[in-house]
Amino acid sequence: MSNKIFLLEDDPILNETLVDFLEDNGFTVDSETDGLEAESKLYEKRYDLILLDVNVPNLDGFNLLKSVKSFGVTTPVIFITARDGLEDLEKGFNIGAEDYIKKPFSLKELKIRIDAVLKRHNKNSTTVKIDDSTDFIVSSGELLVNGKKHKLSNKEAKLLEIFISKKNEVISHEYIFNELWSYDETPSDSSLRTYIKNLRKILGKERIESIKKRGYRYIEK
């Protein structure tokens, strides 16, 4: 399952270049050229990494990061910007950036920095404790229940990640479809019900609540 990257870059040529490069290297990429549009997208969808330019229309990268942080978004962020002053560098790190790349930069350097941030972030969040008897091993897509391993399918593991990231919230069917299926796949109600059924078998029926005509809610004990 490829890492999902969000890119905010207002230069259309550079934006297209970066998207092509990242996709060629196995990433799934969404991009915007406008800060407010980016803000809406980051509230709606979950990513593994965010790349932010600073000088963009309507909402600059610094204030965008402050905004999404206030909503509890913990996705690692790398700033990519021509603003190379020490104050800007300090500001970027102080508001929560993982890295800060000064333009112009080579695509190889960008890839090295992305890999380093993802490796560090994944290492720090490899295992999620569900309860006293259950751990979710994110890197391998396994649930460990009382010492017994249960291997999840890719989509089941991704679905559980979605639930954990939005615990105790009602998550719409549409949101799950958008997150779980890529643009070239057809979402399936029956498949989603199967994934839910399989997770309930392991975690318990009470853990995932069906909300009629709305979606599902993952209950944290």
Side-chain angles (χ1 to χ4, degrees):
M1 187 164 54
S2 63
N3 288 114
K4 295 175 65 176
I5 293 180
F6 179 81
L7 168 68
L8 173 62
E9 169 56 62
D10 70 330
D11 182 318
I13 295 176
L14 180 55
N15 188 304
E16 183 177 355
T17 298
L18 293 176
V19 169
D20 288 346
F21 172 75
L22 292 169
E23 289 182 341
D24 286 345
N25 279 273
F27 297 105
T28 301
V29 186
D30 287 341
S31 72
E32 291 289 348
T33 58
D34 178 280
L36 286 178
E37 294 295 329
E39 184 181 44
S40 297
K41 188 71 67 69
L42 290 171
Y43 288 159
E44 294 170 0
K45 300 185 70 175
R46 182 173 176 266
Y47 297 91
D48 299 298
L49 180 71
I50 301 171
L51 300 175
L52 296 181
D53 190 6
V54 175
N55 293 329
V56 295
N58 294 319
L59 182 66
D60 69 67
F62 288 146
N63 284 310
L64 172 59
L65 179 54
K66 289 179 182 177
S67 176
V68 298
K69 287 283 188 183
S70 72
F71 271 74
V73 174
T74 58
T75 305
V77 172
I78 298 177
F79 279 115
I80 49 173
T81 176
R83 293 173 62 165
D84 59 359
L86 186 58
E87 288 185 3
D88 288 322
L89 181 68
E90 183 179 26
K91 183 176 182 179
F93 281 113
N94 284 342
I95 60 178
E98 291 273 344
D99 206 346
Y100 192 106
I101 304 177
K102 299 174 184 178
K103 296 178 182 177
F105 55 84
S106 72
L107 294 176
K108 183 177 181 179
E109 177 189 359
L110 177 65
K111 177 65 164 50
I112 291 171
R113 290 176 181 266
I114 286 173
D115 287 345
V117 169
L118 287 174
K119 182 178 180 180
R120 184 163 64 245
H121 185 73
N122 290 336
K123 182 178 180 181
N124 291 336
S125 58
T126 298
T127 301
V128 177
K129 191 157 206 57
I130 302 293
D131 54 39
D132 290 341
S133 62
T134 307
D135 293 314
F136 176 37
I137 307 171
V138 179
S139 57
S140 62
E142 294 174 317
L143 277 168
L144 189 63
V145 184
N146 292 319
K148 181 180 179 181
K149 286 185 178 181
H150 300 263
K151 179 66 177 176
L152 303 178
S153 71
N154 286 340
K155 281 190 166 52
E156 288 167 355
K158 182 63 176 177
L159 179 59
L160 183 54
E161 287 185 62
I162 293 169
F163 282 142
I164 291 171
S165 71
K166 292 184 172 294
K167 54 194 174 189
N168 299 321
E169 297 180 27
V170 177
I171 309 172
S172 69
H173 295 99
E174 182 180 5
Y175 181 91
I176 294 174
F177 287 152
N178 288 336
E179 289 292 306
L180 214 56
W181 279 270
S182 61
Y183 71 93
D184 58 348
E185 296 178 315
T186 302
S188 167
D189 278 311
S190 61
S191 293
L192 177 57
R193 287 194 295 269
T194 298
Y195 303 148
I196 295 288
K197 180 181 178 181
N198 291 340
L199 288 176
R200 282 172 169 162
K201 282 181 180 178
I202 303 170
L203 298 172
K205 291 182 179 180
E206 73 286 350
R207 178 74 72 175
I208 302 171
E209 181 183 8
S210 296
I211 310 297
K212 190 174 182 180
K213 296 183 180 180
R214 295 180 64 192
Y216 296 94
R217 178 163 46 209
Y218 174 81
I219 307 298
E220 183 182 44
K221 292 182 179 179

